[in-house]
Amino acid sequence: MARKPGEIAKDFEDLESSRFAPTARTKRPLTKANMEATAKARFQRIAPRKARTVLNMIRGVNVAKAIDDLKYTPKAAATIVGKLLESAVANAREADENVDLDALVVKVAFADKAPNMHMRRWRPRAQGRATRIVKGMSHITVVIGDEKDS
């Protein structure tokens, strides 16, 4: 049985309104039960392997001690991660002004490989060829939260 064009369009409207419609994402208010703050640094010009060595050092550590440790760490990633950690503390303070900063702990800290779109460099090779120079870029994420939740 052939359908009329109006009926087909009505079916698509029903689909769009139910299944494909974007749902409104609401931000959860920070309470004592779900006190977490996140900070992300994307497209950072450091290899993920080098950033992970610094992130492994601060994971599970009190935030104040982690910031002090990063100040005296002679690694290039330490300055990036230090700024990111301070940003996460500021995000926690922005969400809840009464947050206990001494009770915050680095819950999650990881570095993922970022696409290397911006650093296209070439090295000449034998017989007229060229190869790409691979420079590492990272997406670094730090999540801090209450001590009792971790």
Side-chain angles (χ1 to χ4, degrees), residues 104-115:
L104 291 179
V105 173
V106 180
K107 284 182 153 185
V108 179
F110 59 90
D112 292 329
K113 186 176 181 330

Side-chain angles (χ1 to χ4, degrees), residues 34-55:
N34 66 347
M35 181 61 221
E36 280 190 356
T38 306
K40 294 180 183 181
R42 300 183 69 224
F43 298 101
Q44 294 300 307
R45 181 49 203 94
I46 191 155
R49 181 177 178 180
K50 294 178 181 180
R52 285 182 192 124
T53 59
V54 175
L55 292 171

